[in-house]
Amino acid sequence: MRPGGAVAVTVKEADHASSRVVDEQAERVGTRIRELRRSRGLTLVQLAARTGLSHPFLSQLERGHTRPSMVSLDRIAKALGTTQVELIAAGAPGLPDTDSGRADVLRAGEGARNQFPHGEVRLLARGRRAFDPIEWTGTTTEFGDYFRHPEDEFVHVVGGALLLDLEKDGTVRLDTGDSVYYPGGTAHRWCSPDGSRFHLVVVKQKLLEDA
């Protein structure tokens, strides 16, 4: 579920790290990563070893000077015992920790998000909910490595087309209006078949221990 191979992504991110804060969301995500790393008793060097990411890149990330790709965010989340969604959510201020029992309208320009080369992910609900709805757009034509996570996942193609590789179950093309559901533990990765933009709604199961 991310663009590019592991080595290429890491190098690209390191090259694009700047000396200034990207924006407030990037700064909040970096702060949250630093808090979790320190609470786990890890140094930046140790986190780099666990994730396969460079020490300079992680340092820039914690200061909000760059954004991670989804592959890097996945590696960091697993190393820190959390999820991509929880780290992205940390970027939006004032989110409730629990469900208030009332409806919550999220406008088009709102929501925690993570921008990365060739795409963007935006969370479509605030706070801790029974499941995680996500908007995902991208143009990458490279599969990258497989993603595996314990949560079940549902993907609906709102616009464009998608090549979905499910490893043992092969590769399938999904066009606008198509959907797929796969159980937790299923290896998966996707990309655009021709570089045109795909627009997805992804719904991830919330595990009981995370609910």
Side-chain angles (χ1 to χ4, degrees), residues 139-160:
T139 58
T140 181
T141 56
E142 298 181 18
F143 272 125
D145 296 339
Y146 288 102
F147 266 58
R148 292 178 178 85
H149 46 71
E151 307 92 350
D152 286 11
E153 188 163 85
F154 169 82
V155 179
H156 177 70
V157 182
V158 178

Side-chain angles (χ1 to χ4, degrees), residues 12 150 211:
K12 183 180 292 185

Side-chain angles (χ1 to χ4, degrees), residues 102-178:
R102 302 180 61 183
D104 182 36
V105 175
L106 187 75
R107 300 297 182 182
E110 299 175 338
R113 64 189 67 216
N114 183 49
Q115 296 175 324
F116 47 89
H118 309 296
E120 179 182 85
V121 165
R122 180 171 74 105
L123 305 188
L124 298 179
R126 289 178 278 216
R128 297 178 64 84
R129 303 297 181 179
F131 53 86
D132 294 316
I134 303 165
E135 181 182 39
W136 190 306
T137 58
T139 58
T140 181
T141 56
E142 298 181 18
F143 272 125
D145 296 339
Y146 288 102
F147 266 58
R148 292 178 178 85
H149 46 71
E151 307 92 350
D152 286 11
E153 188 163 85
F154 169 82
V155 179
H156 177 70
V157 182
V158 178
L162 191 73
L163 285 182
L164 174 65
D165 181 2
L166 295 172
E167 193 179 39
K168 295 180 181 179
D169 292 329
T171 300
V172 61
R173 178 185 171 113
L174 300 177
D175 291 300
T176 299
D178 293 342

Side-chain angles (χ1 to χ4, degrees), residues 12-209:
K12 183 180 292 185
E13 288 173 333
D15 289 344
H16 281 74
S18 70
S19 60
R20 295 183 295 177
V21 172
V22 175
D23 56 28
E24 291 184 358
Q25 287 209 18
E27 188 172 25
R28 292 189 189 100
V29 171
T31 297
R32 181 58 178 158
I33 290 172
R34 182 171 59 248
E35 290 173 350
L36 287 173
R37 174 179 61 79
R38 289 177 175 175
S39 71
R40 270 59 168 176
L42 297 172
T43 65
L44 274 172
V45 172
Q46 290 171 326
L47 183 59
R50 290 191 180 193
T51 59
L53 302 170
S54 73
H55 172 278
F57 168 69
L58 289 173
S59 177
Q60 293 276 8
L61 182 60
E62 287 193 355
R63 288 180 287 167
H65 293 177
T66 189
R67 294 188 182 96
S69 68
M70 292 303 285
V71 56
S72 296
L73 204 63
D74 182 60
R75 291 184 180 192
I76 294 167
K78 287 178 178 177
L80 297 176
T82 186
T83 66
Q84 291 171 312
V85 171
E86 294 299 326
L87 291 180
I88 295 173
L95 298 185
D97 291 330
T98 58
D99 188 348
S100 65
R102 302 180 61 183
D104 182 36
V105 175
L106 187 75
R107 300 297 182 182
E110 299 175 338
R113 64 189 67 216
N114 183 49
Q115 296 175 324
F116 47 89
H118 309 296
E120 179 182 85
V121 165
R122 180 171 74 105
L123 305 188
L124 298 179
R126 289 178 278 216
R128 297 178 64 84
R129 303 297 181 179
F131 53 86
D132 294 316
I134 303 165
E135 181 182 39
W136 190 306
T137 58
T139 58
T140 181
T141 56
E142 298 181 18
F143 272 125
D145 296 339
Y146 288 102
F147 266 58
R148 292 178 178 85
H149 46 71
E151 307 92 350
D152 286 11
E153 188 163 85
F154 169 82
V155 179
H156 177 70
V157 182
V158 178
L162 191 73
L163 285 182
L164 174 65
D165 181 2
L166 295 172
E167 193 179 39
K168 295 180 181 179
D169 292 329
T171 300
V172 61
R173 178 185 171 113
L174 300 177
D175 291 300
T176 299
D178 293 342
S179 301
V180 61
Y181 182 104
Y182 39 85
T186 301
H188 57 280
R189 57 184 183 175
W190 61 56
C191 68
S192 168
D194 56 9
S196 60
R197 180 177 179 268
F198 56 79
H199 184 187
L200 315 175
V201 170
V202 181
V203 181
K204 295 176 70 69
Q205 175 193 21
K206 177 75 77 171
L207 298 181
L208 290 178
E209 56 267 29

